[in-house]
């Protein structure tokens, strides 16, 4: 096996979501192995320069060219890696192939499994991935045994929070040969995986293809996520020859294009994106009529890690954004709570609430809720792995109104409960400004949307409004009385 780190030598890693050519040219002057790695998921620390010697790594955050010159000089002088005044030091096994835990915000929480290589290994480098045990070609029985304990991750996954195994069995029992789609559209945790650890994702996807008898894997992401698309293409080109062909397709930026059946429409080149009615689901009739497994990049990365480690590593990727100094993506054990995710970021102002579960997530003030799917669902929150923080100067009604208006404008229009429901819901929220707060009408409308919309878009679109009533009833009522407690809403007459 090849290792990118020799125990004797010194390695300088430069981690950044964006290319850092200035830093790279400085580092190449050093008498060291210099590698450009992807983002670790914490942009506030980037450019993050890591200097590894033996079993120690020095971390230099937000590193400037001048600072890196000092580091390079120090390395050239053969000085101890601590001499260049790092922000933190981590101790680890010599030749470590994954990011060690280090006392830096965002990198000091959770436990990295799917994200182990992110920010540490060169994203598309075969030798790095192989050194970390990648390109594992587990036999079909092992893959099927492993998937028996795995559930989906994210609304872009045909299984969402449900176990994968029954869906795979349907695809395997179909008359036509199945195919596999990696849905990395929209969700920043999926695009982080594609940008920083794409070979991990491909390991999971190709294992799935082998297990169900598929001969192709198609990676799908929004064209606007250029880095993810480009890195996935490079990784697909570098992937060792196998019986499974890998292709990458860029889709439109629109939010609904992440819905699994609309993702298939986009991949097939249809400009009018509408959800397909289920049943039959894509596992029976999917891409070009073939049985199709559509799972997110997260789901496939978790599968790859389980296959390699031989154990169920129950973690979830969570991205925290909103009223914070910079967003961060962390990987948390499912036994952890939302407060651990929030610990990864610096808040702008006082915490008021979190919208948990993506654009149509639920509002909560309670950060003691577990990050596992069943705890989040029981608390009326979403499981999309996205947490948006609302500071104390945020108006809940304005926030929920904008989410609902977005849903009204963005839905595909195929079914009445979502198409008409989101428009009516936006109207009911707007009526609050005129003194008409009809909470039971809102709740009843959301119930109908949840129960009869064709796809998850409509099922979830009313959740921000529903949870706002449950958590912020007094604030909504105050608006009906002409008062915005957060002092951020325009006067009622200005609200359209
Ligand atoms: S729920 Fe909304 S997005 Fe989904 S099919 Fe119905 S109208 Fe389209």
């Amino acid at each position: 096996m090849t290792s990118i780190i020799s125990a004797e030598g010194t390695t300088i890693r430069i981690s950044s979501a964006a290319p850092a050519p200035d830093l790279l040219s400085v580092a190449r002057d050093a008498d060291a192995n210099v590698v450009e790695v992807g983002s670790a998921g914490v942009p506030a620390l980037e450019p993050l320069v890591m200097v590894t010697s033996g079993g120690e790594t020095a971390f230099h955050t937000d590193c400037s060219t001048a600072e890196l010159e000092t580091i390079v000089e120090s390395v050239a002088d053969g000085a101890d890696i601590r001499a260049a005044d790092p922000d933190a030091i981590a101790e680890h096994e010599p030749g470590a192939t994954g990011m060690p835990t280090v006392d830096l915000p965002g990198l000091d929480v959770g436990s990295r499994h799917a994200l182990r290589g992110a920010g540490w290994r060169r994203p598309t480098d075969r030798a790095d991935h192989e050194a970390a045990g990648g390109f594992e070609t587990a036999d079909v029985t092992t893959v099927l045994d492993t998937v028996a304990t795995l559930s989906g991750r994210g609304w872009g996954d045909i299984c969402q929070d449900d176990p994968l195994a029954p869906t795979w069995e349907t695809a395997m029992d179909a008359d036509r040969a199945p195919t596999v789609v990696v849905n990395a559209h929209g969700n920043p945790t999926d695009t982080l995986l594609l940008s920083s650890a794409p070979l991990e994702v491909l390991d999971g996807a190709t294992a799935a293809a082998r297990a169900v008898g598929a001969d192709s894997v198609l990676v799908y992401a929004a064209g606007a996520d250029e880095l993810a698309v480009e890195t996935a293409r490079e990784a697909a080109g570098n992937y060792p020859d196998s019986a499974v062909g890998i292709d990458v397709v860029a889709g439109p930026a629109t939010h609904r294009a992440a819905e699994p059946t609309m993702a298939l429409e986009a991949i097939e080149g249809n400009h009018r994106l509408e959800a397909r009615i289920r049943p039959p689901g894509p596992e029976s009739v999917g891409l070009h009529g073939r049985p199709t497994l559509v799972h997110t990049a997260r789901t496939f990365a978790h599968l790859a890690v389980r296959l390699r480690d031989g154990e169920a590593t129950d973690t979830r990727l969570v991205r925290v954004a909103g009223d914070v100094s910079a967003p961060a993506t962390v990987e948390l054990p499912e036994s952890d709570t939302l407060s651990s995710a929030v610990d990864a970021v610096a808040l702008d102002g006082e915490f008021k609430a979190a919208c948990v579960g993506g654009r149509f997530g639920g509002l909560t003030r309670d950060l003691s809720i577990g990050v596992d799917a069943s705890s989040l669902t029981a608390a009326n929150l979403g499981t999309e792995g996205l947490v948006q923080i609302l500071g104390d100067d945020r108006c809940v009604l304005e926030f929920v109104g904008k989410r609902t208006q977005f849903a009204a404008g963005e839905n595909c229009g195929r079914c009445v409960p979502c198409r008409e429901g989101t428009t009516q819901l936006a109207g009911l929220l707007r009526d609050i400004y005129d003194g008409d707060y009809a909470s039971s009408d809102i709740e009843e409308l959301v119930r109908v949307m949840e129960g009869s919309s064709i796809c998850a878009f409509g099922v979830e679109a009313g959740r921000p409004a529903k949870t706002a009533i449950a958590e912020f009833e007094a604030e909504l009522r105050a608006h009906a009385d002409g008062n915005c407690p957060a002092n951020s809403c325009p006067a009622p007459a200005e609200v359209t």
Side-chain angles (χ1 to χ4, degrees):
M1 271 186 193
T2 315
S3 170
I4 59 170
I5 311 159
S6 67
E8 315 81 45
T10 301
T11 297
I12 297 178
R13 288 182 177 78
I14 300 176
S15 165
S16 175
D22 292 353
L23 292 180
L24 272 173
S25 65
V26 169
R28 283 195 177 114
D29 291 340
D31 182 19
N33 181 26
V34 179
V35 291
E36 187 178 17
V37 295
S39 173
V42 190
L45 303 179
E46 297 172 359
L48 177 62
V49 170
M50 293 161 277
V51 184
T52 301
S53 179
E56 279 191 331
T57 294
F59 288 73
H60 302 261
T61 64
D62 195 16
C63 193
S64 67
T65 308
E67 286 171 298
L68 186 54
E69 281 169 353
T70 305
I71 295 166
V72 165
E73 267 175 40
S74 178
V75 169
D77 290 346
D80 187 281
I81 60 170
R82 294 162 195 264
D85 195 20
D87 296 299
I89 293 276
E91 295 184 354
H92 49 78
E93 291 291 314
T97 55
M99 174 77 82
T101 301
V102 59
D103 191 16
L104 288 171
L107 295 179
D108 59 350
V109 297
S111 56
R112 298 171 79 92
H113 296 279
L115 286 181
R116 190 182 300 159
W120 190 260
R121 302 197 288 261
R122 286 167 289 190
T124 62
D125 189 272
R126 287 173 63 154
D128 286 10
H129 190 58
E130 200 169 14
F135 304 125
E136 175 75 40
T137 51
D139 60 55
V140 169
T141 305
T142 303
V143 178
L144 294 177
D145 285 349
T146 304
V147 91
T149 59
L150 185 62
S151 295
R153 300 284 197 280
W155 87 298
D157 194 301
I158 45 173
C159 296
Q160 214 161 355
D161 302 316
D162 294 332
L164 267 55
T167 301
W168 284 33
E169 283 162 17
T170 302
M172 292 161 73
D173 289 344
D175 293 335
R176 298 182 65 182
T179 187
V180 171
V181 169
V182 178
N183 187 1
H185 190 290
N187 186 300
T189 63
D190 288 321
T191 49
L192 174 66
L193 283 169
L194 275 200
S195 306
S196 292
L199 295 171
E200 208 82 86
V201 177
L202 294 183
D203 275 359
T206 52
R210 286 197 311 276
V212 301
D215 61 2
S216 58
V217 164
L218 208 145
V219 181
Y220 166 74
D225 290 322
E226 288 176 21
L227 182 64
V229 172
E230 281 170 22
T231 314
R233 285 204 170 114
E234 196 175 317
N238 283 356
Y239 207 77
D241 287 344
S242 77
V244 179
I246 304 171
D247 216 338
V248 180
V249 172
T254 180
H255 175 79
R256 68 175 184 273
E259 195 278 332
T261 64
M262 285 194 252
L264 298 180
E265 293 286 320
I267 294 167
E268 289 181 4
N270 295 328
H271 294 299
R272 184 178 168 84
L273 296 187
E274 286 186 347
R276 296 179 182 176
I277 294 173
R278 299 191 239 174
E283 64 274 24
S284 301
V285 182
L287 192 63
H288 301 297
R290 293 172 65 182
T292 306
L293 299 182
V294 187
H295 298 304
T296 58
R298 281 165 283 170
T299 303
F300 285 123
H302 282 292
L303 173 60
V305 167
R306 286 180 183 214
L307 286 170
R308 194 169 56 232
D309 294 352
E311 61 186 61
T313 41
D314 292 320
T315 56
R316 297 191 80 84
L317 300 194
V318 181
R319 183 179 196 257
V320 190
D323 292 333
V324 300
S325 58
T329 302
V330 293
E331 185 170 0
L332 300 175
E334 291 200 315
S335 56
D336 228 328
T337 62
L338 291 170
S339 62
S340 296
V342 176
D343 284 347
V345 294
L347 302 187
D348 273 351
E350 291 294 311
F351 173 82
K352 176 174 182 174
C355 179
V356 180
R359 200 167 303 241
F360 304 137
L363 287 165
T364 184
R365 289 185 256 233
D366 182 3
L367 296 179
S368 69
I369 297 165
V371 296
D372 62 293
S374 50
S375 298
L376 293 170
T377 305
N380 267 328
L381 305 178
T383 57
E384 185 56 14
L386 303 174
V387 174
Q388 175 146 13
I389 303 295
L390 277 67
D392 58 355
D393 58 351
R394 284 278 187 165
C395 171
V396 164
L397 180 56
E398 182 187 18
F399 179 83
V400 169
K402 283 183 174 166
R403 300 265 153 151
T404 309
Q405 281 175 342
F406 174 83
E410 174 74 6
N411 72 82
C412 79
R414 176 147 199 184
C415 68
V416 172
C418 173
R419 186 184 65 230
E420 299 302 323
T422 50
T423 302
Q424 286 179 22
L425 184 56
L428 287 169
L429 293 171
R430 199 167 47 240
D431 288 346
I432 298 175
Y433 289 102
D434 295 332
D436 185 7
Y437 175 42
S439 60
S440 55
D441 289 355
I442 293 173
E443 288 168 328
E444 178 57 22
L445 178 57
V446 172
R447 251 194 305 278
V448 171
M449 290 164 61
E450 286 175 341
S452 51
S453 292
I454 286 179
C455 79
F457 186 109
V459 171
E460 298 181 357
R463 184 162 47 202
K466 181 174 83 171
T467 52
I469 290 174
E471 284 276 323
F472 292 95
E473 167 100 306
E475 185 165 334
L476 299 189
R477 284 203 185 283
H479 282 81
D481 296 334
N483 172 33
C484 170
N487 273 328
S488 76
C489 282
E494 297 170 32
V495 178
T496 56

